[in-house]
Protein backbone atom coordinates (compact mmCIF):
# COMPACT_ATOMS: atom_id res chain seq x y z
CA UNK A 1 0.00 0.00 0.00
CA UNK A 2 2.73 2.37 0.99
CA UNK A 3 4.36 1.74 -2.35
CA UNK A 4 1.52 3.06 -4.41
CA UNK A 5 1.25 6.17 -2.29
CA UNK A 6 4.86 6.96 -2.90
CA UNK A 7 4.62 6.29 -6.62
CA UNK A 8 1.81 8.76 -6.80
CA UNK A 9 3.50 11.27 -4.61
CA UNK A 10 6.73 11.17 -6.55
CA UNK A 11 4.77 12.26 -9.57
CA UNK A 12 2.85 14.86 -7.66
CA UNK A 13 5.85 16.60 -6.23
CA UNK A 14 7.92 16.36 -9.40
CA UNK A 15 5.27 17.99 -11.51
CA UNK A 16 3.70 20.33 -9.03
CA UNK A 17 5.26 23.34 -10.71
CA UNK A 18 2.88 23.78 -13.58
CA UNK A 19 3.66 20.69 -15.64
CA UNK A 20 0.91 18.34 -16.73
CA UNK A 21 0.37 15.65 -14.16
CA UNK A 22 1.77 12.35 -15.45
CA UNK A 23 -0.90 10.45 -13.58
CA UNK A 24 -3.65 11.88 -15.66
CA UNK A 25 -1.75 11.17 -18.88
CA UNK A 26 -1.03 7.63 -17.79
CA UNK A 27 -4.54 7.05 -16.58
CA UNK A 28 -5.94 8.19 -19.92
CA UNK A 29 -3.54 5.88 -21.74
CA UNK A 30 -4.80 3.01 -19.60
CA UNK A 31 -1.31 2.37 -18.28
CA UNK A 32 -1.95 2.65 -14.59
CA UNK A 33 -3.76 0.21 -12.41
CA UNK A 34 -6.89 1.39 -10.62
CA UNK A 35 -5.22 1.03 -7.23
CA UNK A 36 -2.39 3.42 -8.08
CA UNK A 37 -4.74 5.99 -9.55
CA UNK A 38 -6.96 5.71 -6.51
CA UNK A 39 -4.01 6.35 -4.22
CA UNK A 40 -3.08 9.37 -6.28
CA UNK A 41 -6.55 10.81 -6.00
CA UNK A 42 -6.52 10.15 -2.26
CA UNK A 43 -3.21 11.90 -1.96
CA UNK A 44 -4.43 14.99 -3.75
CA UNK A 45 -7.32 15.37 -1.34
CA UNK A 46 -5.65 14.15 1.80
CA UNK A 47 -3.09 16.36 3.50
CA UNK A 48 -2.15 13.60 5.91
CA UNK A 49 -1.12 11.29 3.09
CA UNK A 50 0.72 14.14 1.42
CA UNK A 51 2.57 14.73 4.67
CA UNK A 52 3.60 11.08 4.74
CA UNK A 53 5.06 11.48 1.31
CA UNK A 54 6.97 14.57 2.28
CA UNK A 55 8.51 12.48 5.03
CA UNK A 56 9.38 9.74 2.57
CA UNK A 57 10.78 12.37 0.25
CA UNK A 58 13.17 13.52 2.91
CA UNK A 59 13.81 9.87 3.55
CA UNK A 60 14.42 10.19 7.27
CA UNK A 61 14.12 6.44 7.83
CA UNK A 62 17.77 5.87 8.44
CA UNK A 63 18.76 9.24 9.81
CA UNK A 64 17.45 8.94 13.31
CA UNK A 65 17.93 5.24 13.89
CA UNK A 66 20.39 4.52 16.67
CA UNK A 67 20.58 0.81 15.89
CA UNK A 68 22.76 -0.53 13.13
CA UNK A 69 20.90 -1.16 9.86
CA UNK A 70 22.00 -3.64 7.23
CA UNK A 71 20.97 -6.77 5.37
CA UNK A 72 20.14 -9.83 7.46
CA UNK A 73 20.79 -13.54 7.05
CA UNK A 74 18.16 -16.29 7.22
CA UNK A 75 18.32 -16.33 11.03
CA UNK A 76 17.62 -12.60 11.12
CA UNK A 77 21.14 -11.59 12.16
CA UNK A 78 22.91 -8.65 10.59
CA UNK A 79 24.97 -9.83 7.63
CA UNK A 80 27.86 -7.36 7.40
CA UNK A 81 30.94 -9.51 6.79
CA UNK A 82 33.20 -6.51 6.12
CA UNK A 83 31.57 -3.98 8.43
CA UNK A 84 29.59 -1.00 7.21
CA UNK A 85 25.87 -0.56 7.75
CA UNK A 86 24.00 2.62 8.66
CA UNK A 87 23.86 4.15 12.12
CA UNK A 88 22.09 7.46 12.63
CA UNK A 89 22.17 7.96 8.91
CA UNK A 90 25.96 7.56 8.67
CA UNK A 91 27.83 4.71 7.01
CA UNK A 92 29.98 2.82 9.49
CA UNK A 93 33.63 1.92 8.81
CA UNK A 94 34.54 -1.12 6.77
CA UNK A 95 36.88 -3.79 8.10
CA UNK A 96 39.35 -6.40 6.87
CA UNK A 97 40.81 -5.77 3.43
CA UNK A 98 38.52 -2.75 3.09
CA UNK A 99 39.50 -1.12 6.40
CA UNK A 100 41.32 1.71 4.63
CA UNK A 101 38.26 2.45 2.53
CA UNK A 102 37.20 6.11 2.64
CA UNK A 103 33.45 6.55 3.13
CA UNK A 104 31.24 9.47 2.06
CA UNK A 105 29.36 11.47 4.68
CA UNK A 106 25.99 13.24 4.65
CA UNK A 107 26.38 16.84 3.46
CA UNK A 108 24.24 19.78 4.49
CA UNK A 109 21.21 20.03 2.17
CA UNK A 110 19.33 23.17 1.14
CA UNK A 111 18.86 25.67 -1.64
CA UNK A 112 22.22 27.18 -2.50
CA UNK A 113 23.84 28.98 -5.40
CA UNK A 114 26.38 26.76 -7.15
CA UNK A 115 29.21 27.50 -7.44
CA UNK A 116 28.50 31.00 -6.10
CA UNK A 117 31.68 32.89 -5.34
CA UNK A 118 33.46 29.94 -3.72
CA UNK A 119 37.09 30.47 -4.83
CA UNK A 120 37.84 26.72 -4.77
CA UNK A 121 35.02 25.94 -7.17
CA UNK A 122 35.28 28.22 -10.18
CA UNK A 123 35.25 26.91 -13.73
CA UNK A 124 38.50 25.76 -15.32
CA UNK A 125 38.37 23.95 -18.65
CA UNK A 126 39.86 20.46 -18.52
CA UNK A 127 43.55 20.29 -19.40
CA UNK A 128 45.16 17.83 -21.80
CA UNK A 129 45.57 15.11 -19.15
CA UNK A 130 42.15 15.54 -17.56
CA UNK A 131 39.53 12.93 -18.50
CA UNK A 132 35.83 13.48 -18.95
CA UNK A 133 33.20 10.88 -19.80
CA UNK A 134 29.59 10.11 -20.58
CA UNK A 135 27.96 11.88 -17.62
CA UNK A 136 27.58 15.64 -18.07
CA UNK A 137 26.90 16.11 -14.35
CA UNK A 138 30.12 14.38 -13.32
CA UNK A 139 32.03 16.31 -15.99
CA UNK A 140 30.68 19.61 -14.69
CA UNK A 141 31.59 18.71 -11.10
CA UNK A 142 35.15 18.02 -12.26
CA UNK A 143 35.30 21.30 -14.23
CA UNK A 144 34.56 23.17 -10.98
CA UNK A 145 36.80 21.13 -8.70
CA UNK A 146 33.99 19.46 -6.75
CA UNK A 147 35.66 16.34 -8.10
CA UNK A 148 39.37 16.05 -8.70
CA UNK A 149 39.83 18.13 -11.85
CA UNK A 150 41.81 15.27 -13.40
CA UNK A 151 38.63 13.18 -13.65
CA UNK A 152 40.33 10.49 -11.57
CA UNK A 153 38.20 10.42 -8.47
CA UNK A 154 36.99 8.24 -5.64
CA UNK A 155 33.77 6.64 -4.47
CA UNK A 156 33.58 9.01 -1.47
CA UNK A 157 34.48 12.15 -3.43
CA UNK A 158 31.75 11.56 -6.03
CA UNK A 159 29.09 10.72 -3.45
CA UNK A 160 29.90 13.89 -1.49
CA UNK A 161 30.13 16.06 -4.62
CA UNK A 162 26.67 15.09 -5.92
CA UNK A 163 25.15 16.10 -2.60
CA UNK A 164 27.02 19.41 -2.62
CA UNK A 165 26.74 20.29 -6.30
CA UNK A 166 23.29 18.98 -7.18
CA UNK A 167 21.48 18.60 -3.86
CA UNK A 168 21.03 14.87 -4.36
CA UNK A 169 20.34 12.84 -1.22
CA UNK A 170 23.04 10.96 0.66
CA UNK A 171 21.30 7.68 -0.22
CA UNK A 172 21.08 8.28 -3.97
CA UNK A 173 24.56 9.79 -4.22
CA UNK A 174 26.11 6.80 -2.44
CA UNK A 175 24.13 4.34 -4.52
CA UNK A 176 25.11 5.90 -7.87
CA UNK A 177 28.76 6.31 -6.93
CA UNK A 178 28.76 2.70 -5.71
CA UNK A 179 27.46 1.56 -9.10
CA UNK A 180 30.19 3.56 -10.84
CA UNK A 181 32.85 1.95 -8.65
CA UNK A 182 31.46 -1.50 -9.44
CA UNK A 183 31.22 -0.70 -13.14
CA UNK A 184 34.72 0.57 -13.60
CA UNK A 185 36.79 1.26 -10.49
CA UNK A 186 39.37 -0.23 -8.18
CA UNK A 187 37.61 -1.49 -5.10
CA UNK A 188 40.54 -1.59 -2.67
CA UNK A 189 41.32 2.11 -3.12
CA UNK A 190 37.82 3.24 -4.09
CA UNK A 191 39.36 5.03 -7.11
CA UNK A 192 37.76 5.36 -10.52
CA UNK A 193 37.92 7.37 -13.72
CA UNK A 194 34.82 9.31 -14.80
CA UNK A 195 35.90 8.46 -18.36
CA UNK A 196 37.53 5.25 -19.55
CA UNK A 197 40.47 3.12 -18.41
CA UNK A 198 43.32 5.24 -17.07
CA UNK A 199 46.80 4.43 -15.84
CA UNK A 200 46.28 6.66 -12.77
CA UNK A 201 43.65 4.24 -11.43
CA UNK A 202 45.39 1.38 -9.62
CA UNK A 203 44.54 -2.12 -10.83
CA UNK A 204 44.90 -3.88 -7.49
CA UNK A 205 42.23 -6.48 -8.30
CA UNK A 206 42.27 -6.42 -12.09
CA UNK A 207 41.69 -3.95 -14.94
CA UNK A 208 39.49 -0.98 -14.06
CA UNK A 209 37.72 0.06 -17.27
CA UNK A 210 36.28 3.34 -15.94
CA UNK A 211 32.78 4.58 -15.18
CA UNK A 212 31.96 5.12 -18.84
CA UNK A 213 32.78 1.60 -19.97
CA UNK A 214 29.97 0.14 -22.02
CA UNK A 215 27.51 -2.48 -20.88
CA UNK A 216 27.67 -1.99 -17.13
CA UNK A 217 26.44 1.50 -16.36
CA UNK A 218 26.72 2.85 -19.92
CA UNK A 219 23.95 2.12 -22.37
CA UNK A 220 22.72 2.50 -25.95
CA UNK A 221 20.19 5.17 -26.82
CA UNK A 222 21.61 7.83 -24.48
CA UNK A 223 20.30 11.36 -24.67
CA UNK A 224 23.18 12.95 -26.57
CA UNK A 225 25.94 10.32 -26.59
CA UNK A 226 26.86 7.98 -29.40
CA UNK A 227 26.09 4.24 -29.14
CA UNK A 228 29.33 2.37 -28.47
CA UNK A 229 28.88 0.38 -31.69
CA UNK A 230 29.38 3.57 -33.71
CA UNK A 231 32.37 4.96 -31.83
CA UNK A 232 33.41 6.67 -28.59
CA UNK A 233 30.40 6.53 -26.30
CA UNK A 234 31.36 9.81 -24.66
CA UNK A 235 31.05 11.68 -27.97
CA UNK A 236 28.45 14.38 -27.80
CA UNK A 237 26.23 14.29 -30.89
CA UNK A 238 24.99 17.76 -31.69
CA UNK A 239 22.15 16.41 -33.84
CA UNK A 240 20.78 14.43 -30.92
CA UNK A 241 20.84 17.56 -28.79
CA UNK A 242 19.08 19.58 -31.51
CA UNK A 243 16.33 16.96 -31.72
CA UNK A 244 15.97 16.96 -27.94
CA UNK A 245 15.56 20.77 -28.02
CA UNK A 246 13.03 20.39 -30.85
CA UNK A 247 10.90 18.10 -28.68
CA UNK A 248 11.25 20.42 -25.69
CA UNK A 249 10.08 23.33 -27.83
CA UNK A 250 6.87 21.43 -28.47
CA UNK A 251 6.49 20.92 -24.72
CA UNK A 252 6.57 24.46 -23.42
CA UNK A 253 10.34 24.72 -23.64
CA UNK A 254 10.68 22.34 -20.68
CA UNK A 255 13.07 19.38 -20.56
CA UNK A 256 10.62 17.65 -18.27
CA UNK A 257 8.40 14.64 -18.22
CA UNK A 258 6.80 14.87 -21.66
CA UNK A 259 10.01 15.78 -23.49
CA UNK A 260 11.96 12.93 -21.98
CA UNK A 261 9.24 10.33 -22.47
CA UNK A 262 9.06 11.18 -26.16
CA UNK A 263 12.82 11.50 -26.69
CA UNK A 264 13.53 8.24 -24.87
CA UNK A 265 11.19 6.28 -27.13
CA UNK A 266 12.62 8.01 -30.20
CA UNK A 267 16.21 7.16 -29.19
CA UNK A 268 15.29 3.53 -28.55
CA UNK A 269 13.55 3.27 -31.93
CA UNK A 270 16.43 4.85 -33.87
CA UNK A 271 19.10 2.77 -32.15
CA UNK A 272 17.13 -0.41 -32.65
CA UNK A 273 16.72 0.41 -36.34
CA UNK A 274 20.37 1.25 -36.96
CA UNK A 275 22.63 -0.46 -34.40
CA UNK A 276 23.10 -4.20 -35.06
CA UNK A 277 24.35 -4.60 -31.48
CA UNK A 278 21.64 -2.49 -29.85
CA UNK A 279 20.93 -3.79 -26.39
CA UNK A 280 18.19 -2.58 -24.05
CA UNK A 281 18.25 -4.91 -21.08
CA UNK A 282 17.51 -4.39 -17.42
CA UNK A 283 20.26 -1.81 -17.06
CA UNK A 284 18.95 0.16 -20.02
CA UNK A 285 15.60 0.14 -18.28
CA UNK A 286 17.15 1.63 -15.13
CA UNK A 287 19.79 3.95 -16.56
CA UNK A 288 17.95 5.35 -19.58
CA UNK A 289 15.04 6.49 -17.45
CA UNK A 290 17.06 7.57 -14.41
CA UNK A 291 19.44 9.81 -16.38
CA UNK A 292 16.43 11.56 -17.91
CA UNK A 293 14.73 12.03 -14.57
CA UNK A 294 18.00 13.60 -13.39
CA UNK A 295 17.72 16.24 -16.13
CA UNK A 296 14.60 17.82 -14.68
CA UNK A 297 15.25 16.94 -11.06
CA UNK A 298 18.98 17.70 -11.04
CA UNK A 299 19.75 20.29 -13.73
CA UNK A 300 16.67 22.47 -13.19
CA UNK A 301 17.04 25.71 -11.27
CA UNK A 302 16.42 24.77 -7.63
CA UNK A 303 14.53 27.99 -6.93
CA UNK A 304 11.54 26.87 -9.01
CA UNK A 305 12.61 23.57 -10.66
CA UNK A 306 12.51 25.37 -13.99
CA UNK A 307 14.01 22.95 -16.56
CA UNK A 308 14.19 25.37 -19.47
CA UNK A 309 16.93 25.85 -22.07
CA UNK A 310 18.80 28.41 -19.98
CA UNK A 311 19.18 25.91 -17.16
CA UNK A 312 19.67 22.68 -19.10
CA UNK A 313 21.79 23.66 -22.11
CA UNK A 314 24.96 24.79 -20.27
CA UNK A 315 25.29 21.30 -18.75
CA UNK A 316 25.06 19.51 -22.09
CA UNK A 317 26.77 22.02 -24.40
CA UNK A 318 29.35 23.52 -22.12
CA UNK A 319 29.63 21.26 -19.07
CA UNK A 320 29.29 24.38 -16.95
CA UNK A 321 26.75 25.36 -14.32
CA UNK A 322 24.40 28.04 -15.66
CA UNK A 323 24.98 31.57 -14.35
CA UNK A 324 22.95 32.25 -11.18
CA UNK A 325 22.05 28.60 -10.81
CA UNK A 326 20.74 27.07 -7.60
CA UNK A 327 20.89 23.43 -6.62
CA UNK A 328 17.61 21.84 -5.49
CA UNK A 329 16.40 22.70 -2.00
CA UNK A 330 15.27 19.23 -0.88
CA UNK A 331 17.45 16.18 -1.38
CA UNK A 332 16.40 13.88 -4.22
CA UNK A 333 16.22 10.35 -2.86
CA UNK A 334 16.36 6.76 -4.10
CA UNK A 335 12.61 6.16 -3.70
CA UNK A 336 11.84 9.28 -5.73
CA UNK A 337 14.32 8.31 -8.42
CA UNK A 338 12.85 4.81 -8.83
CA UNK A 339 9.30 6.15 -8.64
CA UNK A 340 9.81 8.70 -11.39
CA UNK A 341 11.97 6.42 -13.56
CA UNK A 342 9.24 3.77 -13.49
CA UNK A 343 6.59 6.30 -14.42
CA UNK A 344 8.71 7.66 -17.26
CA UNK A 345 8.94 4.12 -18.68
CA UNK A 346 5.19 3.65 -18.37
CA UNK A 347 4.51 6.92 -20.19
CA UNK A 348 6.12 5.57 -23.40
CA UNK A 349 7.08 1.92 -22.92
CA UNK A 350 9.36 -0.11 -25.16
CA UNK A 351 10.12 -3.84 -25.34
CA UNK A 352 13.34 -4.87 -23.61
CA UNK A 353 15.72 -6.92 -25.69
CA UNK A 354 18.53 -6.59 -28.19
CA UNK A 355 19.58 -6.93 -31.82
CA UNK A 356 21.63 -10.06 -32.33
CA UNK A 357 24.04 -9.17 -35.11
CA UNK A 358 21.63 -7.37 -37.40
CA UNK A 359 18.90 -4.77 -37.14
CA UNK A 360 16.42 -7.30 -38.50
CA UNK A 361 17.07 -9.69 -35.67
CA UNK A 362 15.63 -8.16 -32.53
CA UNK A 363 15.31 -10.68 -29.74
CA UNK A 364 13.13 -9.72 -26.78
CA UNK A 365 14.62 -10.32 -23.35
CA UNK A 366 13.52 -13.76 -22.21
CA UNK A 367 12.14 -12.46 -19.00
CA UNK A 368 10.39 -13.94 -16.06
CA UNK A 369 9.95 -10.35 -14.99
CA UNK A 370 7.01 -8.21 -16.05
CA UNK A 371 8.59 -4.76 -16.40
CA UNK A 372 5.29 -3.00 -16.81
CA UNK A 373 4.22 -4.35 -13.47
CA UNK A 374 7.60 -3.64 -11.88
CA UNK A 375 7.73 -0.06 -13.18
CA UNK A 376 4.61 0.83 -11.23
CA UNK A 377 6.07 -0.41 -7.94
CA UNK A 378 9.22 1.52 -7.10
CA UNK A 379 9.94 -0.36 -3.88
CA UNK A 380 9.76 -3.68 -5.71
CA UNK A 381 11.69 -2.22 -8.63
CA UNK A 382 14.48 -1.06 -6.32
CA UNK A 383 14.78 -4.43 -4.60
CA UNK A 384 14.75 -6.29 -7.89
CA UNK A 385 17.45 -4.09 -9.45
CA UNK A 386 19.73 -4.28 -6.45
CA UNK A 387 19.30 -8.03 -6.12
CA UNK A 388 20.29 -8.33 -9.74
CA UNK A 389 23.05 -5.72 -9.93
CA UNK A 390 25.63 -8.34 -10.79
CA UNK A 391 23.29 -10.69 -12.54
CA UNK A 392 21.53 -8.66 -15.19
CA UNK A 393 24.16 -8.83 -17.88
CA UNK A 394 25.85 -12.21 -17.90
CA UNK A 395 29.16 -11.95 -19.70
CA UNK A 396 29.53 -8.35 -18.62
CA UNK A 397 30.54 -9.01 -15.04
CA UNK A 398 34.13 -7.95 -14.70
CA UNK A 399 36.83 -10.48 -13.94
CA UNK A 400 37.80 -8.49 -10.86
CA UNK A 401 34.32 -9.00 -9.45
CA UNK A 402 34.11 -12.68 -10.27
CA UNK A 403 37.54 -13.39 -8.81
CA UNK A 404 37.10 -11.35 -5.64
CA UNK A 405 33.47 -11.97 -5.04
CA UNK A 406 33.63 -12.00 -1.23
CA UNK A 407 35.20 -8.56 -1.23
CA UNK A 408 32.62 -7.14 -3.61
CA UNK A 409 29.84 -8.77 -1.68
CA UNK A 410 31.22 -7.30 1.54
CA UNK A 411 31.19 -3.85 -0.04
CA UNK A 412 27.65 -4.27 -1.37
CA UNK A 413 26.34 -5.57 1.94
CA UNK A 414 28.04 -2.94 4.04
CA UNK A 415 27.60 0.14 1.87
CA UNK A 416 24.78 -0.30 -0.67
CA UNK A 417 22.24 -2.76 0.72
CA UNK A 418 21.64 -0.87 3.99
CA UNK A 419 19.86 1.84 1.97
CA UNK A 420 17.41 -0.79 0.74
CA UNK A 421 16.79 -2.37 4.11
CA UNK A 422 14.37 -1.57 6.82
CA UNK A 423 13.75 2.12 6.16
CA UNK A 424 9.99 2.27 5.87
CA UNK A 425 10.12 2.27 2.09
CA UNK A 426 12.44 -0.47 0.92
CA UNK A 427 12.36 -3.60 2.94
CA UNK A 428 14.20 -5.86 0.55
CA UNK A 429 14.83 -9.46 1.47
CA UNK A 430 18.46 -10.09 0.61
CA UNK A 431 18.77 -13.55 2.11
CA UNK A 432 18.79 -15.20 -1.30
CA UNK A 433 21.61 -12.87 -2.28
CA UNK A 434 22.87 -12.87 -5.82
CA UNK A 435 25.87 -14.53 -7.34
CA UNK A 436 27.41 -13.09 -10.48
CA UNK A 437 25.73 -14.38 -13.61
CA UNK A 438 27.37 -17.12 -15.59
CA UNK A 439 29.94 -15.63 -17.83
CA UNK A 440 31.52 -16.64 -21.07
CA UNK A 441 34.66 -15.28 -19.52
CA UNK A 442 35.12 -12.22 -21.71
CA UNK A 443 36.13 -8.86 -20.39
CA UNK A 444 33.89 -6.01 -21.47
CA UNK A 445 35.47 -3.68 -24.00
CA UNK A 446 37.41 -0.99 -22.20
CA UNK A 447 35.88 2.48 -22.33
CA UNK A 448 37.85 5.27 -23.89
CA UNK A 449 38.98 8.31 -22.01
CA UNK A 450 37.07 10.97 -23.75
CA UNK A 451 38.24 13.64 -26.07
CA UNK A 452 34.73 14.02 -27.40
CA UNK A 453 32.77 15.52 -24.55
CA UNK A 454 32.00 19.18 -25.01
CA UNK A 455 34.11 21.72 -23.21
CA UNK A 456 33.87 25.44 -23.06
CA UNK A 457 34.03 26.90 -26.53
CA UNK A 458 33.52 23.61 -28.35
CA UNK A 459 30.20 24.84 -29.70
CA UNK A 460 30.65 28.57 -30.37
CA UNK A 461 27.50 28.55 -32.49
CA UNK A 462 25.51 27.85 -29.38
CA UNK A 463 23.09 30.72 -30.07
CA UNK A 464 21.71 29.22 -33.26
CA UNK A 465 20.09 26.27 -31.55
CA UNK A 466 18.24 28.22 -28.91
CA UNK A 467 14.52 27.60 -28.74
CA UNK A 468 12.52 29.28 -31.45
CA UNK A 469 10.35 30.95 -28.90
CA UNK A 470 11.06 31.78 -25.29
CA UNK A 471 9.42 29.23 -23.01
CA UNK A 472 6.42 30.54 -21.13
C1 LIG B 1 27.26 9.40 -8.58
C2 LIG B 1 26.41 9.91 -9.44
C3 LIG B 1 26.37 9.63 -10.93
C4 LIG B 1 27.07 8.75 -11.68
C5 LIG B 1 28.12 7.77 -11.22
C6 LIG B 1 26.62 8.91 -13.07
C7 LIG B 1 27.06 8.15 -14.14
C8 LIG B 1 26.56 8.24 -15.41
C9 LIG B 1 26.84 7.34 -16.48
C10 LIG B 1 27.73 6.11 -16.40
C11 LIG B 1 26.17 7.76 -17.56
C12 LIG B 1 26.12 7.11 -18.94
C13 LIG B 1 24.81 6.45 -19.15
C14 LIG B 1 24.50 6.30 -20.61
O1 LIG B 1 25.18 5.54 -21.30
O2 LIG B 1 23.57 6.93 -21.10
C15 LIG B 1 25.47 8.96 -17.20
C16 LIG B 1 24.68 9.70 -18.06
C17 LIG B 1 24.02 10.83 -17.67
N1 LIG B 1 24.01 11.40 -16.42
FE1 LIG B 1 24.99 10.75 -14.80
N2 LIG B 1 25.70 9.89 -13.11
C18 LIG B 1 25.51 10.36 -11.83
C19 LIG B 1 24.67 11.34 -11.43
C20 LIG B 1 24.01 12.18 -12.28
C21 LIG B 1 23.24 13.31 -11.87
C22 LIG B 1 23.00 13.72 -10.43
C23 LIG B 1 22.78 13.89 -12.99
C24 LIG B 1 21.97 15.14 -13.13
C25 LIG B 1 21.91 16.06 -12.22
C26 LIG B 1 23.24 13.10 -14.11
C27 LIG B 1 22.94 13.37 -15.42
C28 LIG B 1 23.22 12.51 -16.47
C29 LIG B 1 22.70 12.68 -17.80
C30 LIG B 1 21.78 13.78 -18.28
C31 LIG B 1 23.19 11.63 -18.57
C32 LIG B 1 22.92 11.36 -20.06
C33 LIG B 1 23.97 11.99 -20.90
C34 LIG B 1 23.63 11.96 -22.36
O3 LIG B 1 23.37 10.91 -22.94
O4 LIG B 1 23.63 13.03 -22.97
N3 LIG B 1 23.99 12.08 -13.64
N4 LIG B 1 25.72 9.21 -15.87
C1 LIG C 1 43.80 14.22 -8.11
O1 LIG C 1 44.07 13.13 -8.98
C2 LIG C 1 45.44 13.01 -9.33
C3 LIG C 1 45.53 11.90 -10.39
O2 LIG C 1 45.08 10.68 -9.87
C4 LIG C 1 46.27 12.72 -8.08
O3 LIG C 1 47.63 12.64 -8.42
C5 LIG C 1 46.06 13.83 -7.06
O4 LIG C 1 46.70 13.51 -5.86
C6 LIG C 1 44.56 14.03 -6.80
N1 LIG C 1 44.37 15.20 -5.95
C7 LIG C 1 43.73 15.15 -4.80
C8 LIG C 1 43.61 16.43 -4.04
O5 LIG C 1 43.22 14.12 -4.39
C1 LIG D 1 30.24 28.38 -21.12
O1 LIG D 1 31.19 28.52 -20.05
C2 LIG D 1 31.89 29.75 -20.02
C3 LIG D 1 32.89 29.73 -18.89
O2 LIG D 1 32.25 29.69 -17.64
C4 LIG D 1 30.90 30.91 -19.87
O3 LIG D 1 31.58 32.12 -19.96
C5 LIG D 1 29.83 30.80 -20.96
O4 LIG D 1 28.84 31.78 -20.72
C6 LIG D 1 29.17 29.43 -20.96
N1 LIG D 1 28.17 29.30 -22.01
C7 LIG D 1 26.96 28.80 -21.77
C8 LIG D 1 26.03 28.68 -22.92
O5 LIG D 1 26.62 28.40 -20.67
C1 LIG E 1 17.51 30.69 -11.13
O1 LIG E 1 16.61 31.30 -10.25
C2 LIG E 1 17.05 32.53 -9.72
C3 LIG E 1 16.04 32.99 -8.68
O2 LIG E 1 14.76 33.01 -9.20
C4 LIG E 1 17.19 33.53 -10.85
O3 LIG E 1 17.66 34.77 -10.34
C5 LIG E 1 18.18 32.97 -11.87
O4 LIG E 1 18.26 33.84 -12.97
C6 LIG E 1 17.76 31.59 -12.33
N1 LIG E 1 18.83 31.04 -13.13
C7 LIG E 1 18.66 30.63 -14.40
C8 LIG E 1 19.84 30.08 -15.11
O5 LIG E 1 17.58 30.68 -14.97
C1 LIG F 1 2.32 -7.26 -17.00
O1 LIG F 1 1.70 -6.45 -16.03
C2 LIG F 1 0.75 -5.57 -16.54
C3 LIG F 1 0.35 -4.58 -15.43
O2 LIG F 1 0.23 -5.23 -14.20
C4 LIG F 1 -0.41 -6.38 -17.09
O3 LIG F 1 -1.40 -5.51 -17.61
C5 LIG F 1 0.11 -7.29 -18.19
O4 LIG F 1 -0.91 -8.13 -18.65
C6 LIG F 1 1.27 -8.15 -17.70
N1 LIG F 1 1.88 -8.83 -18.83
C7 LIG F 1 2.13 -10.13 -18.82
C8 LIG F 1 2.76 -10.68 -20.07
O5 LIG F 1 1.87 -10.84 -17.87
C1 LIG G 1 13.41 -14.08 2.34
O1 LIG G 1 13.68 -14.94 1.25
C2 LIG G 1 14.01 -16.27 1.62
C3 LIG G 1 14.33 -17.06 0.37
O2 LIG G 1 15.28 -16.40 -0.41
C4 LIG G 1 12.86 -16.89 2.38
O3 LIG G 1 13.25 -18.17 2.82
C5 LIG G 1 12.49 -16.04 3.59
O4 LIG G 1 11.34 -16.54 4.21
C6 LIG G 1 12.24 -14.59 3.18
N1 LIG G 1 12.07 -13.76 4.37
C7 LIG G 1 11.05 -12.93 4.51
C8 LIG G 1 10.99 -12.15 5.78
O5 LIG G 1 10.19 -12.81 3.67
Amino acid sequence: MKLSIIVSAAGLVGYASGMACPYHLLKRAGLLGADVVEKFDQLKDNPELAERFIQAQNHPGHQKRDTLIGPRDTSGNLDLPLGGGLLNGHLQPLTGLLSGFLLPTPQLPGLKEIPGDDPDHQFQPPGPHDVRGTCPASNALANYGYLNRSGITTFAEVADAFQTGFGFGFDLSVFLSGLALLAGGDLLTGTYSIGGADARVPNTLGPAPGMSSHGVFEIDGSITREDTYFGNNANFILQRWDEYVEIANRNGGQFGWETNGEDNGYRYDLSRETNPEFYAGALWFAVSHAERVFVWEGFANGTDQNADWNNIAPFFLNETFPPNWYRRGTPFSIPQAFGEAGLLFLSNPRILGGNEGSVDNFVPLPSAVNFTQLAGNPAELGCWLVENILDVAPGQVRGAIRENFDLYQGFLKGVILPFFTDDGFFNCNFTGFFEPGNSEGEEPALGLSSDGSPVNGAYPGIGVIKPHSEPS
Side-chain angles (χ1 to χ4, degrees), residues 129-141:
H129 303 295
D130 298 338
V131 297
R132 301 291 182 262
T134 49
C135 176
S138 307
N139 293 349
L141 288 172

Side-chain angles (χ1 to χ4, degrees), residues 301 303-304 308 310-311 322-326:
N301 195 338
T303 54
D304 51 6
D308 66 0
N310 288 334
N311 283 286
N324 308 312
W325 184 85
Y326 291 75

Side-chain angles (χ1 to χ4, degrees), residues 164-363:
T164 302
F166 288 100
F168 271 40
F170 181 58
D171 61 343
L172 186 52
S173 303
V174 169
F175 176 60
L176 294 171
S177 187
L179 286 186
L181 179 62
L182 289 174
D186 178 59
L187 181 62
L188 286 187
T189 56
T191 311
Y192 60 87
S193 148
I194 64 173
D198 195 289
R200 289 165 290 183
V201 177
N203 289 329
T204 58
L205 299 174
M211 176 176 104
S212 300
S213 64
H214 181 65
V216 191
F217 196 174
E218 199 285 322
I219 53 159
D220 291 330
S222 306
I223 305 174
T224 66
R225 265 47 172 182
E226 194 160 36
D227 286 7
T228 303
Y229 175 81
F230 296 111
N232 183 343
N233 62 20
N235 278 346
F236 173 85
I237 308 292
L238 188 58
Q239 187 190 343
R240 289 187 166 207
W241 166 255
D242 287 344
E243 289 167 356
Y244 194 41
V245 173
E246 207 49 58
I247 295 173
N249 284 342
R250 280 191 274 104
N251 288 292
Q254 288 288 317
F255 295 79
W257 179 268
E258 294 87 348
T259 296
N260 280 287
E262 187 176 334
D263 188 69
N264 192 47
Y266 177 58
R267 285 286 149 238
Y268 168 104
D269 295 344
L270 276 187
S271 280
R272 184 174 153 176
E273 283 161 23
T274 56
N275 176 354
E277 291 174 7
F278 172 67
Y279 184 68
L283 276 171
W284 175 85
F285 175 80
V287 174
S288 185
H289 298 97
E291 73 187 21
R292 290 168 180 283
V293 167
F294 293 170
V295 169
W296 74 81
E297 292 292 2
F299 289 163
N301 195 338
T303 54
D304 51 6
Q305 287 303 115
N306 187 352
D308 66 0
W309 194 95
N310 288 334
N311 283 286
I312 305 305
F315 288 106
F316 280 99
L317 296 175
N318 213 17
E319 301 195 330
T320 55
F321 288 98
N324 308 312
W325 184 85
Y326 291 75
R327 72 178 188 198
R328 47 182 299 123
T330 54
F332 193 57
S333 68
I334 296 176
Q336 286 173 291
F338 280 123
E340 295 196 25
L343 288 174
L344 186 62
F345 170 79
L346 291 175
S347 77
N348 194 11
R350 288 295 183 279
I351 300 169
L352 301 192
N355 287 333
E356 296 199 346
S358 102
V359 297
D360 303 321
N361 191 25
F362 180 80
V363 180

